[in-house]
Amino acid sequence: MVVGELTQEVDLLVIGGGPGGYVAAIAAADAGIQTAVVEEAKVPGGVCLREGCIPSKALLHVAKIIEDADHAKNFGITFSPPQTDIDKLRNWKNGIIRKLSGGVKTLLAGRKVDYIKGRAEFESSRIVRIEGDEPTRIKFRHCIIATGSQAKNLPESILPRELCWDAADALEIEEVPKRLLVIGGGYIGLEIGQVYATLGSEVTVVEALEGILNGLDPDLAKPLVAKLRKQMKAIHTSATFKGAKKKGAAIEATFAVKGKDMTETFDRILVSVGRRPNTNGLGLENTKVSVDDLGFIRVDDQRRTTEKRIFAIGDVAGNPMLAHKAMREGKVVADVIAGKPAEFDPACIPAVVYTDPEVAWCGLTESEAKAQGLDFHVTKFPWVASGKAVSMSRTDGLTKMIFDRKTQRLIGLGIVGVHAGDLIAEGVLAMEMAAVAEDLSSSIHPHPATSETIAEAAEAMFGKAIHGAH
Ligand code: NAI
């Protein structure tokens, strides 16, 4: 393909090189479809790789090492207090991003996917104009919009932008503020809040809802909240952020907690109040693509928009805004364009909060099963009864399962504990395979491993787990 102002043609144009876009492009190229990706950033990987999932996991790994080293004093191993070389930490984190984004670039190049740096805007339902180093127009047979989402801000009148960080700013890790206010106790607020608390910031979380993580199952929330309360200065729920203003070098912030106003001083404010889809400035008005009231692009089960040549995947195509959901959608759309019968119809989409302890769930929660009026049975296996958890001195965990009472099929799994995010995949597979309680309880799980808690919780469906309390 020759780049220039002339109109060129591609079979598939993918707009956005994040986890949805680059996976779709690779899968399409593997299916023999001539594919190009247009991306504003120099490197592919999207927010997830550059300023989201990957850097936050790197920093959470550091936080866990600090915590584990401190915890070791309980069994007779004492380390000196950690010293943080913030520049070295940032360089290490940036090196991870470079390595992974370079890897994605190599994967794309290996499939002969064109990587075009620039900003795409639809001129029509067949043509995209790209503003970049060399402006160009591309005529496509099919197009996938995978433009992701951006952090929501609070109104400038309440919180001037220059006083606050969004997740990307916080993950730059330029400084460790002495006092950090986190607005929003969701995924980002708690993950990044925990990183900074471990690095030495005094962290206060203000969350509008009654509980953290948007109504997370209280059984799963308990061990995490207990840990966060030890690490942070305060977690205020049912709290309304009212405003902040500069006061000397610091920031004075006011929030109401259960109706009572509190004014406190901070050095930095992290705003993590959700994200919104990136549809502005895409020229969608020049196509038949339609957008819902929340700004998400309307798609069908094949992720086709209301314009038949154009598909949308990932954050821009609706909740949950999770990289692994976008990746699966990307593969589905590549199959659809390749002419295969494919739909996005997962049995469940796992969610993981990578705090320590991690929280992960898939399928229905207990309250969702109740709200749907289902006849279900809940089993729980606390990690105090897990040999592996006791050996690691990490019994702050719980495995909770929801079974359909009649069919005994697994309909929900929630886990809180170390590496819960790795364990949850068993529940996802079980639900995809329509596994029943006995499939899980009689499959031999390695001993000792925290995955045994899944088999034990399944066993509890029939009365008692072998290692369960009487
Ligand atoms: P979120 O939706 O998880 O949490 C936002 C929280 O802010 C909610 O609990 C909400 O009640 C609260 N809130 C909203 N306005 C408020 C206000 N004015 N005052 C106080 N609280 C307020 O959104 P978050 O944490 O910004 O993350 C955005 C998205 O990014 C997530 O929904 C998730 O899809 C994705 N993400 C996923 C991660 C993972 O998979 N581990 C990690 C980080 C982000």
Side-chain angles (χ1 to χ4, degrees):
M1 193 179 66
V2 186
V3 177
E5 184 56 28
L6 286 173
T7 304
Q8 308 133 48
E9 289 201 36
V10 291
D11 281 343
L12 172 62
L13 180 67
V14 181
I15 304 178
Y22 84 71
V23 167
I26 290 173
D30 283 344
I33 299 164
Q34 180 220 355
T35 304
V37 175
V38 52
E39 161 65 58
E40 273 182 287
K42 232 193 324 206
V43 291
V47 166
C48 171
L49 204 163
R50 291 194 313 270
E51 52 191 31
C53 329
I54 296 295
S56 62
K57 264 75 267 179
L59 295 175
L60 279 158
H61 171 65
V62 170
K64 185 161 184 309
I65 289 173
I66 295 174
E67 272 295 298
D68 284 351
D70 182 56
H71 189 64
K73 67 176 181 274
N74 297 323
F75 35 87
I77 311 288
T78 313
F79 297 93
S80 349
Q83 307 276 324
T84 309
D85 179 338
I86 195 100
D87 294 330
K88 202 163 176 184
L89 179 61
R90 187 184 324 108
N91 287 340
W92 167 77
K93 182 260 309 176
N94 289 342
I96 292 169
I97 298 169
R98 267 197 308 278
K99 197 179 291 174
L100 290 173
S101 56
V104 175
K105 226 171 170 177
T106 306
L107 292 174
L108 290 168
R111 265 80 169 194
K112 306 215 171 348
V113 173
D114 275 302
Y115 188 79
I116 305 164
K117 188 178 164 308
R119 187 175 166 76
E121 188 176 338
F122 288 95
E123 276 189 7
S124 70
S125 295
R126 289 297 311 265
I127 293 175
V128 154
R129 184 180 159 76
I130 297 171
E131 287 300 335
D133 301 340
E134 294 178 73
T136 190
R137 293 166 85 234
I138 293 186
K139 190 171 184 185
F140 56 83
R141 205 179 305 271
H142 289 106
C143 180
I144 301 176
I145 305 172
T147 47
S149 61
Q150 59 184 283
K152 280 186 197 163
N153 284 323
L154 293 174
E156 188 73 23
S157 55
I158 299 184
L159 182 60
R161 181 73 185 92
E162 85 260 13
L163 300 185
C164 58
W165 276 346
D166 61 17
D169 300 322
L171 292 170
E172 273 304 311
I173 198 115
E174 289 291 341
E175 52 164 326
V176 178
K178 194 167 170 301
R179 297 156 298 186
L180 174 68
L181 173 64
V182 175
I183 308 175
Y187 284 74
I188 294 179
L190 298 185
E191 289 185 359
I192 296 181
Q194 189 173 51
V195 166
Y196 276 94
T198 314
L199 290 176
S201 297
E202 196 180 88
V203 176
T204 300
V205 176
V206 170
E207 164 56 51
L209 299 177
E210 261 178 52
I212 55 160
L213 289 164
N214 205 1
L216 175 68
D217 181 299
D219 289 330
L220 302 180
K222 210 167 153 193
L224 174 61
V225 171
K227 173 111 186 204
L228 291 175
R229 286 208 188 277
K230 273 193 214 148
Q231 296 176 309
M232 295 178 171
K233 185 184 167 210
I235 301 173
H236 299 299
T237 51
S238 305
T240 320
F241 177 73
K242 294 194 135 175
K245 58 177 192 291
K246 222 167 159 40
K247 193 179 177 210
I251 305 164
E252 199 174 71
T254 305
F255 40 89
V257 182
K258 297 177 177 86
K260 190 169 161 258
D261 275 4
M262 297 171 78
T263 298
E264 289 184 15
T265 307
F266 299 92
D267 301 294
R268 193 55 79 183
I269 299 181
L270 167 65
V271 182
S272 47
V273 295
R275 299 182 63 84
R276 60 187 163 86
N278 285 333
T279 48
N280 280 351
L282 266 181
L284 295 182
E285 62 284 4
N286 303 322
T287 69
K288 289 195 213 116
V289 174
S290 66
V291 166
D292 71 15
D293 294 345
L294 296 172
F296 292 113
I297 293 177
R298 286 198 181 90
V299 288
D300 66 11
D301 290 344
Q302 293 192 316
R303 293 307 182 248
R304 200 185 291 272
T305 67
T306 36
E307 171 74 66
K308 71 177 191 323
R309 290 176 186 281
I310 303 177
F311 296 78
I313 59 173
D315 289 7
V316 79
N319 282 313
M321 295 195 193
L322 298 171
H324 43 272
K325 173 238 179 201
M327 290 176 171
R328 178 73 201 128
E329 289 177 317
K331 289 184 193 165
V332 166
V333 173
D335 278 349
V336 171
I337 295 173
K340 294 185 193 156
E343 270 187 5
F344 183 72
D345 62 347
C348 61
I349 301 172
V352 181
V353 188
Y354 291 89
T355 42
D356 180 29
E358 291 182 352
V359 190
W361 63 95
C362 63
L364 297 178
T365 61
E366 184 173 357
S367 55
E368 284 166 350
K370 220 174 268 170
Q372 289 183 19
L374 301 180
D375 185 16
F376 63 94
H377 184 78
V378 175
T379 66
K380 294 178 200 173
F381 191 81
W383 285 25
V384 281
S386 153
K388 180 69 185 288
V390 174
S391 324
M392 295 189 297
S393 184
R394 287 303 304 264
T395 51
D396 52 337
L398 176 79
T399 298
K400 176 169 179 176
M401 291 175 126
I402 323 247
F403 291 98
D404 180 290
R405 197 186 298 275
K406 201 158 135 235
T407 63
Q408 299 193 344
R409 267 175 70 167
L410 179 70
I411 55 171
L413 170 63
I415 308 176
V416 55
V418 184
H419 302 312
D422 295 315
L423 297 175
I424 199 69
E426 182 173 349
V428 177
L429 183 63
M431 269 180 248
E432 287 289 351
M433 304 297 288
V436 295
E438 199 185 340
D439 295 324
L440 288 149
S441 67
S442 61
S443 298
I444 299 177
H445 286 67
H447 175 77
T450 49
S451 61
E452 286 174 292
T453 65
I454 294 174
E456 296 257 12
E459 204 163 40
M461 177 73 193
F462 309 108
K464 270 181 212 82
I466 291 287
H467 297 91
H470 279 267

